[in-house]
Amino acid sequence: MIEGVVIIKNLFEKLGVFIESNTIPIILISLLLVLVAMQGAQGIEMKSGTDTFVEKTSQLFQDFDHLYQNIFGIEAIVVIVEDGQVSDPAALQAMDRFEHMTLSLPGVVGVQSATSVIKDANYKVNGEAALPEDDVELATLIRDYVPTTLMPDATHTLMYVEMAGSTSDEQKQEVLRELEVSVAMAEFPPDYNVVVTGEPAFMISMNNAMMSSMAVLLGLSVILMIVVLYLVFGHVRWRLMPLAIVLLGIIYTFGAMGYLEIPMTMVSMAAFPVLIGLGIDYAIQFHNRIEEELEQDGSPEAAVVNTIKHTGPAVLIALIITALGFFSLLTSSVPMIQDFAKLLLIGIVMCFLASLFVGVTVIYGLDHMQAIRKEKFAKLSLNGRSKSKASSSTQDTKPDLMERLLGRTTTFTLKHPFLVLSIALLTCTAGLVADTQVGIQTDTESFVPQDLPALIDLGHLSDITGGEDQFNIIIKTNNVADPELLQWMNEFAEHEVDSRSSILGAESMASVISSMNGGVIPDSEAEINALYDQMPAQQKERFMYGGNMLLLNLNIGDAMGGLGMEGIEVLIDVVEDDMVWMAPPPGVSATITGSNVVFTEVIGALTSGRVFMTYLGLGLVFGGLLLIYRDLLKALVPVITMFMVIGWSGGLMYLMGMDYTPMTATLGALILGVGSEYAVLMMERYFEEKEKGATPEEAMSKAGIKIGKAIITSGLTTLFGFCALVVSDFNMISSFGVITVIDVGLALFATFVIFPPVMVLLDNFREKRKAAKTLLDGSFENKELGTEIGTYGNEPGADAF
């Protein structure tokens, strides 16, 4: 393995020579790549559809998207007209104008409203497809024909603007914009309040608010990082340079997203604060090392080569281990988590390349320019006084406060290793136990700001209608006119409504046929087919597809607010059991689907898989380190350190009363990614100092002081960057920020408190075993040699010799 390390360092040394010799081309290429990245970023697409939650190849996706959304699915933006007598002819005329404008919009497939029902009824009664002018006649038609679903009471009426289930997010947003314009142009009476709401409107508003929030939070994150760099990274020149370098890496990442068609989702947006935190660490490590090399009276050229030679391999190994931690996220069955992982993997590579090539090159160039200015100034100085000052500045300075603190911390942990590790192990074990008691937040409405207008409007709609959540049961058959099948659908729906308090109603082709036939299902196929022929095409398409598929909708009201995700999951199981117990006729299959079914599966996959992803990440990190180093000690110590952090994190979440969310469920892998990097960098510097002849204790003290400042700087920069997320109005983002800040702090703590005693103890133990083995082997060899001499002395003629 030593030979492998030498080869890697030689390769990076050659890379350092190349970078030093090609500074201008590197800068020009990096600027050109910015233009290329900006072009690619134009192709980034914001997605929140089913394919971001469920694999397209899964049966769940096939049932919901292909069978329901594309065939039967209707999404409706709801317009509430309230605060006045909705039977007022002036209000109905305004609704009629609104409906005419809406039906002409691209993407709108129909509008359900009281006015359309009144006009249809007036055509049947009087032969006029228009709103009647007589108030008495109008009131009669409203009383006899308008259902309560469209006009719940005298002061509320609802208009459903329907779009196909396959409508894209961009089309929905365009329809929503046009509807808001149409409301203004319809000229409703001034006393009326008109609200545009519904699930599509809420999702669009939430996505827009989240994007705006993330943009503000990222800006605040950058400001906080600038403050930290000024306060902590003051021992180097151009202290804000790492931030510029990491932002360059983020630009490259945006470009790669566009070219690789990785969408922006609700979860992947959280990758950018993580990338800024990790990327700035790479930039700080290179920046810190080259400044250290430049202070040692070496030539700038040698400083570049030594920085790349020593820091490059260490940071590369840290990147590989970080990537292995993130790689576990790819095992998730949720596409948006997979996209999150892809974005993290691409981002850390881009930030590493930006730090390696651009960061070192820029600092080298700036130092070269500064040296030229100093040289000119020195020539103008009398008797070389400036030179003497310069030489005096290169003398060793006293350790600053941070160095003294790091030195004392390392000394304490090395003097009391068993005390430190015993406390750490006990608290970690307690944390792992407590983590099993941490709850899972599945109420999606709690993820968003409670004062979000779209959420308030959606809640108001739910208060009026009682909720509109549904289970959608897809029924496949060879004969949609089979009386036995329709009778089963009718009986099954009645059973569910009567037996399950959470199921409020049902609608299907069976209920339509029954209402058209006096409340009973006809006994013959001919009668059923005759009724099919009388139906409007739009009504038929709502519940029937071709000659082999029917739809049964079960209304579960505001199930998310009333039952919660766990309650919905139980209700799904109950309905599935009922379909087994009360089975459809032979040759008929029934499948339950719907947005609630899909979302329940997604939340379960996000949260239940977190433990597996965490321990898989630990295994991958351990295996990666073992493969890289071929050294059990070097593979084991960083994993032990991060395992402690995982335990502590779960314990703190339990003590703080926090719950896991779809975003925080990925934090186990993120802890591994962020924390293992600190441990690997510390370990690399420890063994570098040992190679120079230092004892394990001395090597750890020197490593803690020399690279500790850079790790503290990058860690605090990351931590304060995540602090910006804490102030988010979105509870899901805020909780992600809180837990990430805690975990980064714990990772830093473990790197300086747990890593040193574990490494030194195990390294000393290994050295003692090697020494004992060497001594034993030497004694064995001496014993064999003595035996040979004694035997030779007893041979004939030995005394004479």
Side-chain angles (χ1 to χ4, degrees), residues 512-579:
V512 175
I513 290 293
S514 176
S515 64
M516 294 175 68
N517 195 51
V520 296
I521 301 294
D523 294 329
S524 68
E525 291 184 21
E527 291 179 88
I528 294 173
N529 282 321
L531 292 174
Y532 281 158
D533 293 337
Q534 297 175 28
M535 284 185 197
Q538 185 176 352
Q539 186 178 32
K540 189 186 298 185
E541 291 170 0
R542 189 176 179 189
F543 296 110
M544 184 170 69
Y545 179 71
N548 58 4
M549 201 175 296
L550 295 170
L551 175 68
L552 169 60
N553 292 329
L554 299 178
N555 179 16
I556 55 176
D558 183 21
M560 190 64 70
L563 298 176
M565 192 60 66
E566 292 85 355
I568 293 176
E569 190 172 4
V570 171
L571 186 58
I572 292 170
D573 292 337
V574 168
V575 174
E576 288 179 336
D577 290 342
D578 287 345
M579 285 194 294

Side-chain angles (χ1 to χ4, degrees), residues 391-717:
S391 63
S392 65
S393 66
T394 62
Q395 295 177 0
D396 292 337
T397 58
K398 292 183 179 180
D400 60 19
L401 177 62
M402 185 182 295
E403 289 174 338
R404 292 197 300 271
L405 182 61
L406 290 172
R408 289 173 184 172
T409 301
T410 304
T411 301
F412 177 82
T413 59
L414 294 181
K415 280 186 177 180
H416 308 283
F418 294 105
L419 173 64
V420 171
L421 295 181
S422 297
I423 294 174
L425 184 59
L426 285 173
T427 52
C428 175
T429 303
L432 291 172
V433 173
D435 182 65
T436 60
Q437 305 302 313
V438 175
I440 299 171
Q441 180 56 264
T442 56
D443 182 4
T444 54
E445 292 187 0
S446 69
F447 296 158
V448 302
Q450 297 305 293
D451 59 351
L452 186 70
L455 178 62
I456 295 173
D457 291 341
L458 191 65
H460 182 46
L461 174 64
S462 181
D463 292 338
I464 296 172
T465 63
E468 297 181 317
D469 292 339
Q470 289 182 340
F471 289 155
N472 311 114
I473 299 178
I474 306 292
I475 299 167
K476 295 180 182 179
T477 178
N478 293 325
N479 183 6
V480 294
D482 180 6
E484 184 183 359
L485 172 59
L486 293 181
Q487 187 64 40
W488 172 83
M489 292 173 64
N490 219 25
E491 292 175 356
F492 180 79
E494 289 177 359
H495 175 270
E496 295 304 290
V497 173
D498 294 340
S499 305
R500 313 301 173 198
S501 59
S502 299
I503 299 178
L504 308 179
E507 55 179 356
S508 67
M509 187 57 74
S511 61
V512 175
I513 290 293
S514 176
S515 64
M516 294 175 68
N517 195 51
V520 296
I521 301 294
D523 294 329
S524 68
E525 291 184 21
E527 291 179 88
I528 294 173
N529 282 321
L531 292 174
Y532 281 158
D533 293 337
Q534 297 175 28
M535 284 185 197
Q538 185 176 352
Q539 186 178 32
K540 189 186 298 185
E541 291 170 0
R542 189 176 179 189
F543 296 110
M544 184 170 69
Y545 179 71
N548 58 4
M549 201 175 296
L550 295 170
L551 175 68
L552 169 60
N553 292 329
L554 299 178
N555 179 16
I556 55 176
D558 183 21
M560 190 64 70
L563 298 176
M565 192 60 66
E566 292 85 355
I568 293 176
E569 190 172 4
V570 171
L571 186 58
I572 292 170
D573 292 337
V574 168
V575 174
E576 288 179 336
D577 290 342
D578 287 345
M579 285 194 294
V580 173
W581 172 73
M582 194 174 178
V588 176
S589 66
T591 303
I592 185 171
T593 185
S595 58
N596 286 292
V597 176
V598 171
F599 201 69
T600 301
E601 292 286 337
V602 170
I603 293 293
L606 281 172
T607 52
S608 64
R610 65 180 180 83
V611 176
F612 172 75
M613 288 190 291
T614 299
Y615 286 105
L616 175 63
L618 272 174
L620 290 172
V621 168
F622 176 76
L625 287 169
L626 193 60
L627 185 64
I628 291 170
Y629 289 114
R630 302 288 201 280
D631 187 326
L632 183 60
L633 176 67
K634 291 183 177 182
L636 193 59
V637 175
V639 171
I640 292 175
T641 305
M642 287 308 101
F643 184 75
M644 296 287 184
V645 176
I646 291 171
W648 294 340
S649 175
L652 281 175
M653 285 189 67
Y654 175 77
L655 292 175
M656 295 172 67
M658 301 186 72
D659 294 331
Y660 283 108
T661 69
M663 287 181 72
T664 55
T666 64
L667 280 175
L670 294 181
I671 295 170
L672 292 172
V674 176
S676 59
E677 179 186 353
Y678 300 149
V680 168
L681 291 172
M682 181 74 87
M683 183 172 68
E684 281 290 316
R685 192 57 183 257
Y686 166 76
F687 282 103
E688 184 181 334
E689 296 298 332
K690 273 195 68 179
E691 288 175 3
K692 297 177 182 177
T695 64
E697 290 78 6
E698 292 171 345
M700 185 56 68
S701 296
K702 290 181 179 179
I705 293 173
K706 290 184 177 180
I707 200 174
K709 290 178 71 173
I711 292 177
I712 287 288
T713 300
S714 60
L716 289 179
T717 306

Side-chain angles (χ1 to χ4, degrees), residues 780-795:
F780 183 73
E781 289 175 2
N782 290 336
K783 185 176 180 181
E784 285 187 335
L785 180 61
T787 302
E788 289 175 1
I789 293 173
T791 304
Y792 180 76
N794 292 328
E795 289 179 359

Side-chain angles (χ1 to χ4, degrees), residues 153-364:
D153 53 53
T155 59
H156 292 90
T157 186
L158 307 175
M159 303 179 70
Y160 291 83
V161 180
E162 297 177 337
M163 301 171 291
S166 57
T167 305
S168 67
D169 293 340
E170 291 77 11
Q171 288 176 312
K172 292 177 190 175
Q173 194 153 3
E174 183 62 29
V175 170
L176 181 62
R177 278 196 296 263
E178 292 295 334
L179 289 183
E180 290 169 347
V181 173
S182 298
V183 166
M185 296 179 65
E187 299 178 349
F188 283 88
D191 294 339
Y192 287 77
N193 181 41
V194 182
V195 179
V196 180
T197 183
E199 193 67 29
F202 168 70
M203 292 301 296
I204 291 169
S205 179
M206 186 188 72
N207 286 337
N208 291 339
M210 186 172 286
M211 288 289 284
S212 300
S213 174
M214 286 300 293
V216 173
L217 293 175
L218 286 177
L220 179 59
S221 176
V222 170
I223 293 172
L224 290 174
M225 287 181 173
I226 290 173
V227 173
V228 174
L229 288 173
Y230 256 106
L231 294 177
V232 184
F233 208 39
H235 62 284
V236 301
R237 300 165 295 173
W238 314 295
R239 64 184 76 177
L240 297 183
M241 182 66 67
L243 189 56
I245 297 302
V246 74
L247 292 178
L248 180 66
I250 295 296
I251 292 173
Y252 293 156
T253 303
F254 272 116
M257 280 184 71
Y259 288 119
L260 296 176
E261 298 181 350
I262 299 175
M264 185 76 77
T265 66
M266 181 177 12
V267 173
S268 64
M269 285 189 292
F272 292 99
V274 178
L275 290 177
I276 291 175
L278 286 171
I280 205 165
D281 188 29
Y282 303 151
I284 285 173
Q285 295 300 329
F286 282 108
H287 193 146
N288 187 73
R289 186 58 184 255
I290 193 171
E291 288 280 13
E292 181 184 328
E293 294 289 342
L294 289 169
E295 287 178 1
Q296 293 177 356
D297 293 331
S299 67
E301 293 80 7
V304 172
V305 175
N306 287 333
T307 296
I308 302 298
K309 177 182 177 181
H310 293 289
T311 304
V315 176
L316 178 62
I317 291 171
L319 181 147
I320 293 172
I321 300 308
T322 299
L324 288 173
F326 292 154
F327 188 80
S328 62
L329 295 173
L330 292 174
T331 63
S332 172
S333 61
V334 183
M336 63 181 176
I337 297 296
Q338 297 173 14
D339 291 333
F340 178 59
K342 293 173 188 175
L343 190 53
L344 288 173
L345 292 171
I346 293 169
I348 59 176
V349 171
M350 294 299 175
C351 291
F352 171 75
L353 294 176
S355 302
L356 175 65
F357 287 96
V358 183
V360 174
T361 300
V362 170
I363 293 172
Y364 169 59

